[in-house]
Amino acid sequence: LSGAEYFSSLRTQAAIERSELALVLFDASQPISDQDLKVMSQAVDAGRAIVLVFNKWDLMDEFDRQRMERLWKTEFDRVTWAQRVNLSAKTGWHTNRLANAMRGALESWDKRIPTGKLNAFLGKIQAAHPHPLRGGKQPRILFATQASTRPPRFVIFATGFLEHGYRRYIERCLREEFGFDGSPVQISVNIREKKKRKKPNGCPPHVRRTTMLYANFLIPSCCSPVRTTAFPPHREIPSIRSRHDAPTN
């Protein structure tokens, strides 16, 4: 980049950061330049509401319009959700549509979906199209919430990593159901692993038994009521042995 282009890009980035909505203007009579696409990408990365304006549409013939439609599917595949207005500033053709497009983009940018409604919808799309298996396991969506607006950002809690293609599928379904025309939608995934049961300290429950002194035998407390034997003071406590251990003559 030359010095003028470099400082121009800095001013463009600063203007985008201060804005809520970005109007990206294209000259429809000229080929789309890389600089135009870069400005559009900066607005998307900044999370701003976007309206794409194609001026000088009155100079386009049928061939040019077909060419523009092909470019829309290739060069603009990242922002097919953006509001698009074809107009002519010179003749005033379709300029009345610009205000409505801006208003709709800002409403989508500030839209919030209730948590219950969001989870009910995600449950339906997950049942219809579950996530593909990964390593023999199938990640499952536990629940989701909308963390913020401007732009709308959704946090999904799942049992495993959700692939990029499945996230795109979720975003497409959200747009079809709730709109969000003209606003980027951000989706992040929080992986929650299954909690492991903690092992008890010491011996297992079936081994942990107390013993007691009863009739010169060691008897598990689970088999007999707890009893204690009191011995007089200063008297030697007899040894514990069974009758089978008695000496023979």
Side-chain angles (χ1 to χ4, degrees):
L1 293 177
S2 63
E5 291 177 343
Y6 173 73
F7 287 106
S8 176
S9 64
L10 290 181
R11 289 195 298 270
T12 301
Q13 183 64 36
I16 291 174
E17 294 295 338
R18 294 194 304 268
S19 67
E20 294 183 349
L21 180 143
L23 283 174
V24 186
L25 181 62
F26 298 91
D27 187 345
S29 64
Q30 301 294 327
I32 304 299
S33 66
D34 293 338
Q35 187 65 21
D36 294 335
L37 297 176
K38 181 179 179 181
V39 172
M40 182 186 67
S41 297
Q42 287 177 321
V44 174
D45 295 337
R48 299 299 182 257
I50 297 177
V51 175
L52 304 180
V53 182
F54 292 88
N55 190 26
K56 300 183 180 180
W57 197 260
D58 56 318
L59 302 179
M60 303 276 285
D61 56 18
E62 187 63 27
F63 175 79
D64 292 333
R65 292 178 183 179
Q66 292 179 1
R67 175 181 58 84
M68 183 59 67
E69 293 302 325
R70 289 194 297 269
L71 285 175
W72 180 257
K73 296 178 181 179
T74 56
E75 300 295 336
F76 296 90
D77 61 329
R78 187 184 180 190
V79 289
T80 53
W81 44 262
Q83 294 275 15
R84 172 186 171 184
V85 179
N86 303 326
L87 55 79
S88 173
K90 183 178 180 179
T91 64
W93 182 74
H94 279 182
T95 54
N96 59 330
R97 297 184 179 183
L98 189 57
N100 292 332
M102 295 171 61
R103 190 179 300 109
L106 287 174
E107 290 176 357
S108 297
W109 194 55
D110 198 30
K111 181 179 293 187
R112 179 176 290 277
I113 308 301
T115 302
K117 190 175 182 180
L118 174 64
N119 283 278
F121 175 72
L122 290 178
K124 292 180 181 178
I125 66 174
Q126 183 175 222
H129 298 282
H131 191 284
L133 292 175
R134 295 182 68 253
K137 297 182 180 180
Q138 188 175 54
R140 184 169 55 88
I141 297 176
L142 300 176
F143 64 96
T145 184
Q146 184 174 352
S148 62
T149 60
R150 300 189 173 193
R153 185 172 70 88
F154 298 92
V155 179
I156 296 176
F157 296 85
T159 59
F161 178 78
L162 301 183
E163 297 177 353
H164 180 69
Y166 198 74
R167 297 189 194 192
R168 291 289 300 270
Y169 163 70
I170 294 175
E171 179 184 347
R172 185 172 67 253
C173 293
L174 286 173
R175 292 187 181 279
E176 292 175 355
E177 180 70 16
F178 302 110
F180 296 113
D181 294 333
S183 172
V185 172
Q186 300 174 355
I187 297 177
S188 60
V189 178
N190 191 332
I191 300 176
R192 284 197 169 185
E193 298 181 356
K194 186 178 180 181
K195 294 182 179 180
K196 297 181 179 179
R197 297 181 62 183
K198 294 183 179 180
K199 295 182 179 180
N201 296 329
C203 300
H206 65 280
V207 176
R208 285 181 294 172
R209 297 180 179 178
T210 58
T211 58
M212 59 177 240
L213 186 64
Y214 181 72
N216 291 340
F217 286 98
L218 291 177
I219 302 177
S221 61
C222 61
C223 302
S224 175
V226 178
R227 300 180 183 178
T228 58
T229 303
F231 295 93
H234 308 295
R235 181 181 177 183
E236 183 180 357
I237 299 176
S239 60
I240 302 172
R241 67 181 181 180
S242 66
R243 61 182 179 180
H244 301 288
D245 297 331
T248 58
N249 295 327

